[in-house]
Amino acid sequence: MQSVSQLQRLKNIQQKISMVTCYDYWSAQLVAASPMDCLLVGDSLAVVMHGYSSTVHATLDLMLPHVAAVARGAGSKLVVADMPFMTASGDLRSGVAAATALIQAGAHAVKIEGAGHQVALIAHLVEAGIPVVGHLGLTPQSVLQLGGHRVQAKNEAAADRLFADAAKVEAAGVGALVLECVPAPVAAKVSSDLKIPVIGIGAGAGVDGQVLVLQDLLGANLGFEPKFLRKYADLSSSIGNALDRYHQDVQSGAFPARCESYA
Ligand code: KIV
């Protein structure tokens, strides 16, 4: 049975955790066939898959078909799904309803950004049997308040607030924590202070694992070039090249050949 406790076991034996954000059945199948530890259906799908300017546009209705599609393709892998914008910041009842819908769509855990109002919901969900992953540092759902996608916890006071928030969500029961865009030494301290695994994105190498968006690491997200990203492929060029050749072959009549036609 897939469980966030698998990630705890990896931290305990000091094995780094690999997590990848993916959004559909097709890519989930590719990840399922890889050694990756865990899949995240991130609310970044609003931007990457639907062309919105930020994750505040990810509604539950937008997320659910993606969660269900990834769950169908993920095989035996652990699937975590993002609680969409504002679903974890209001009343407990609507938070529980959103988490229930994500779990019933096939997620094994939900991820919640923040350590304010969200803490009560985290404790409530964990108590009710829904595993929760926290998300601190740059929390993209607060982009309007943060004034952009900026590195967080850059001074001592902000780092101290992050340490306190991390302790708070751990005490509330999260099984793991995603830490986004914070200085590497700050992230490393969070990872060593907490018992739970800390999975970083733009948080340096001193944490317990890494998460990247599939399209980003494959070089398939045109124009997205943050400092923290390493591209393991150049899919944009490969796809562009394939489409060019297909178009030329159609125009010249070289496709389809006799062997690609029915007699
Ligand atoms: O939405 C997402 O893909 C995420 C990861 C980048 C951590 O939250």
Side-chain angles (χ1 to χ4, degrees), residues 212-214 216-219 226-233:
L212 286 175
V213 171
L214 185 67
D216 299 346
L217 78 88
L218 293 179
K227 178 181 168 75
F228 64 75
L229 177 61
R230 185 179 298 178
K231 295 183 184 177
Y232 288 86

Side-chain angles (χ1 to χ4, degrees), residues 164-188:
D165 285 351
K168 241 195 269 179
V169 294
E170 182 176 60
V174 299
L177 176 65
V178 168
L179 205 48
E180 179 163 354
C181 288
V182 300
V186 173

Side-chain angles (χ1 to χ4, degrees), residues 21 23 40-45 55 82 111 113 135 140 178 180 201 211-213:
T21 291
Y23 309 118
L40 170 67
V41 189
D43 58 357
S44 52
L45 64 82
T55 60
D82 264 337
K111 177 162 78 60
E113 291 186 13
H135 184 153
V178 168
E180 179 163 354
I201 174 164
V211 54
L212 286 175
V213 171

Side-chain angles (χ1 to χ4, degrees), residues 10-69:
L10 294 176
K11 175 163 182 162
N12 295 347
I13 60 170
Q14 291 179 14
Q15 192 172 308
K16 296 275 189 183
I17 297 160
S18 59
M19 181 189 247
V20 65
T21 291
C22 78
Y23 309 118
D24 58 44
Y25 173 75
W26 173 78
S27 56
Q29 279 190 304
L30 294 176
V31 179
S34 80
M36 201 69 58
D37 294 312
C38 178
L39 290 82
L40 170 67
V41 189
D43 58 357
S44 52
L45 64 82
V47 179
V48 179
M49 300 296 282
H50 293 270
Y52 288 110
S53 57
S54 81
T55 60
V56 307
H57 299 281
T59 60
L60 190 59
D61 285 348
L62 193 73
M63 297 278 306
L64 285 174
H66 288 280
V67 175

